Amino acid sequence: MHDTSQSVDTIIYQANVFDGLGNDPQRMDVAIQGQYIVALGELSQWQATHKIMANGLCLAPGFIDVHTHDDLELLRNPNMAAKISQGVTTVITGNCGISAAPAKLNADAPDPMNLLGEKSEFTFAQMRDYIDAFNRKKANVNVAALVGHTTLRNNVMTDLLRPATADEITAMQLQLDEAIAQGALGLSTGLAYRNAHCAPEQEIYAFGGILKKHDALYTTHLRTEFDAVLEAMDEAFAMEQEFGIKVIISHLKCAGKNNWGRAPELLAKFTAQGEHSKCSCDAYPYAASSSTLDLNQVTDDFDIFITWSEAHPEMAEQLLADIAKQWGMSLLDAAKKLQPAGAVYHGLNEDDVKTILAFDKTMIGSDGLPCDPHPHPRLWGSFPRVLGHYSRGEGIFSLATAIHKMTGLSAANYRLENRGVIKVGNFADLVLFDADEVIDNATFVDSELPASGIHQVWTNGQTTFKDKRVLPAYSGQFLTSLGASKHD
């Protein structure tokens, strides 16, 4: 029996509650006191300072964006409007081998670290410095951080276009060990990028012992997502086989026209790892990728949209083919002339996207680029798009499964303690939304539009979004590798 005289901060009445574990929803009331969920059930006798009448709206755990490049954006724009307006309450930073900490920059940030921000913003020589900066500033979302392999390389190497020496590897191992001890979740690599591609498998495997010692994670932007993608997956899975650590493949995809239709082969690779394997992956819900303009990816097989160019800013927001035509040159020569630049590549197949999203090990990650002057719509739209377009519209999975892929599954894989599931004692990271209305509005043309159907968001019990407005509660916490939260 509940104490009928109980008084709490907030009660959300008569919500369709999705627990985050993939179970069917239950109609119930949810009570929040301080940062925590303190009661579930029929709470009409309870007193509350804030009463929210859900009237059958869906209540889910706050969404966890497992693949972000928000490292510096959190400090730059702590409102985090692009994320909180989607119902995202936790972001994982440091993906694809690039992290803001531990970083030492003597020159401009090398590609693709330049996706995170300007040289002057990289001021965190240790992970502890970054955590302290976050805890001083706070943001509307929680954050957990990976250490980027390219960042480590840049700390100890002057030339990134070669393998690291034994001494350089030792120096990187020490920095990784220290960063994880200070609270990082593990290591990420971005082996497809020019400044990490020269790192042989042995350089990557040299980090396995440290990750195993800390029971830390390994996430990877594969060495290639094009023709040799299966071999690249083998290289990643070898980290689990050799060291028994959890491996997460970032933004799993079949890139390039040659590879359209190969999604079942990629997923079979996971199955082939065996029942014991803890390997998993994330994906974003779009048939287009986005990054810096890579000369190796220039093709006329599909549209390439230029989002920015330092050399020719006036040519941004046009197709590379149109720019090449205006300049009277080949696609490759036009791409060279635009460098450095950013691009959206419409190089994926929609059926592959659906197959990978529906895979039971796939989590949702936006891979949004907040610094891009014309970002891919995934920055503002990924999570509502999964709920509205792929679950409600395409029916590739139930709403409960869609929510699980962005909450409970993600929290379990990233070991975020007491997050991602609605239960008594867990942190009150919550999102209230309308299952019939939730949808992404951001498009490739108008890419910074907030979603529809998100009614209210709570981060650690504080309202961070309500009535289409972001509220500066700044109640996010830094989540360490131990699942513990660091408070001021």
Side-chain angles (χ1 to χ4, degrees):
M1 283 289 289
H2 291 305
D3 173 5
T4 53
S5 63
Q6 191 82 21
S7 180
V8 293
D9 294 335
T10 303
I11 297 179
I12 304 158
Y13 294 98
Q14 290 297 294
N16 237 2
V17 176
F18 288 82
D19 60 9
L21 297 171
N23 297 312
D24 288 338
Q26 289 182 282
R27 182 68 69 99
M28 63 171 94
D29 308 334
V30 176
I32 302 169
Q33 177 64 27
Q35 308 181 78
Y36 300 103
I37 298 166
V38 293
L40 303 170
E42 204 286 313
L43 306 175
S44 59
Q45 301 303 305
W46 286 41
Q47 301 300 309
T49 309
H50 304 286
K51 298 178 177 180
I52 315 291
M53 297 302 169
N55 299 323
L57 290 173
C58 298
L59 187 70
F63 305 140
I64 298 167
D65 190 344
V66 297
H67 193 103
T68 84
H69 297 289
D70 291 334
D71 308 43
L72 295 168
E73 183 69 7
L74 288 154
L75 305 175
R76 201 186 288 126
N77 292 309
N79 277 359
M80 293 298 288
K83 295 298 166 71
I84 213 77
S85 64
Q86 295 181 65
V88 170
T89 56
T90 299
V91 299
I92 310 289
T93 62
N95 284 282
C96 295
I98 56 173
S99 60
K104 302 180 182 81
L105 257 62
N106 297 318
D108 285 345
D111 183 281
M113 282 175 72
N114 55 356
L115 291 174
L116 299 181
E118 304 288 327
K119 179 191 177 211
S120 61
E121 296 178 279
F122 286 86
T123 58
F124 312 107
Q126 294 197 335
M127 182 57 68
R128 182 190 294 121
D129 301 331
Y130 178 76
I131 296 171
D132 288 347
F134 176 82
N135 284 336
R136 272 197 308 276
K137 276 210 103 155
K138 299 286 198 210
N140 272 337
V141 296
N142 304 304
V143 58
L146 296 160
V147 175
H149 166 239
T150 303
T151 298
L152 295 178
R153 296 188 103 225
N154 191 61
N155 289 347
V156 303
M157 299 168 70
T158 48
D159 174 15
L160 301 183
L161 302 182
R162 61 168 177 78
T165 64
D167 285 350
E168 288 163 347
I169 287 171
T170 301
M172 289 193 280
Q173 287 171 324
L174 287 169
Q175 289 184 16
L176 177 65
D177 190 35
E178 185 176 62
I180 296 174
Q182 290 174 9
L185 294 179
L187 178 72
S188 80
T189 55
L191 300 175
Y193 289 103
R194 188 164 166 263
N195 284 317
H197 198 66
C198 294
E201 293 182 12
Q202 288 63 38
E203 182 176 321
I204 309 308
Y205 298 156
F207 296 106
I210 288 159
L211 296 172
K212 183 180 175 69
K213 172 180 125 180
H214 291 284
D215 192 24
L217 303 166
Y218 175 62
T219 78
T220 178
H221 176 148
L222 295 170
R223 201 170 282 276
T224 181
E225 298 169 327
F226 289 81
D227 299 8
V229 62
L230 296 180
E231 292 79 354
M233 290 175 76
D234 284 335
E235 178 184 359
F237 290 146
M239 286 289 272
E240 182 187 56
Q241 289 150 6
E242 187 71 26
F243 300 102
I245 55 178
K246 184 188 274 291
V247 171
I248 297 167
I249 294 179
S250 297
H251 41 58
L252 187 67
K253 63 171 86 74
C254 306
K257 204 170 182 179
N258 285 354
N259 299 296
W260 290 357
R262 292 185 70 192
E265 287 181 61
L266 271 58
L267 303 186
K269 269 277 177 204
F270 280 89
T271 312
Q273 300 311 303
E275 298 270 309
H276 66 281
S277 172
K278 299 190 290 283
C279 294
S280 59
C281 61
D282 65 63
Y284 47 77
Y286 295 87
S289 60
S290 173
S291 187
T292 46
L293 178 58
D294 175 7
L295 299 180
N296 294 324
Q297 290 189 51
V298 171
T299 174
D300 58 7
D301 285 343
F302 48 79
D303 284 343
I304 299 174
F305 179 84
I306 302 302
T307 59
W308 57 271
S309 164
E310 274 185 25
H312 291 278
E314 74 282 0
M315 305 311 278
E317 303 194 17
Q318 297 182 65
L319 293 176
L320 179 60
D322 293 342
I323 296 169
K325 202 175 289 177
Q326 289 169 56
W327 283 345
M329 56 178 65
S330 71
L331 285 180
L332 189 59
D333 285 340
K336 286 176 181 168
K337 191 171 168 180
L338 290 165
Q339 294 282 37
V344 169
Y345 305 89
H346 290 269
L348 309 182
N349 174 273
E350 181 61 28
D351 288 338
D352 287 331
V353 172
K354 288 185 198 172
T355 300
I356 289 169
L357 285 173
F359 180 47
D360 62 358
K361 289 177 179 275
T362 303
M363 303 170 281
I364 306 304
S366 71
D367 196 15
L369 300 174
C371 287
D372 199 310
H374 185 106
H376 186 303
R378 63 193 181 186
L379 180 66
W380 284 81
S382 289
F383 292 80
R385 183 171 173 81
V386 170
L387 300 171
H389 177 66
Y390 284 107
S391 176
R392 185 180 68 234
E394 297 283 336
I396 66 169
F397 35 51
S398 69
L399 187 55
T401 297
I403 289 167
H404 174 58
K405 287 175 167 290
M406 32 178 98
T407 59
L409 181 62
S410 310
N413 278 328
Y414 280 87
R415 307 188 184 122
L416 306 177
E417 224 168 26
N418 305 320
R419 311 250 172 208
V421 178
I422 294 182
K423 71 174 199 182
V424 171
N426 275 10
F427 289 96
D429 293 341
L430 299 165
V431 53
L432 187 67
F433 68 94
D434 186 326
D436 298 324
E437 281 186 18
V438 67
I439 196 71
D440 57 309
N441 293 319
T443 66
F444 287 100
V445 175
D446 200 350
S447 64
E448 297 183 77
L449 294 174
S452 299
I454 305 288
H455 284 245
Q456 192 161 345
V457 181
W458 292 262
T459 308
N460 297 307
Q462 300 297 309
T463 299
T464 41
F465 184 84
K466 187 178 183 181
D467 301 330
K468 303 184 181 175
R469 284 180 52 234
V470 179
L471 303 174
Y474 302 146
S475 52
Q477 298 175 5
F478 190 92
L479 312 181
T480 70
S481 53
L482 307 173
S485 300
K486 291 199 171 178
H487 308 282
D488 273 350

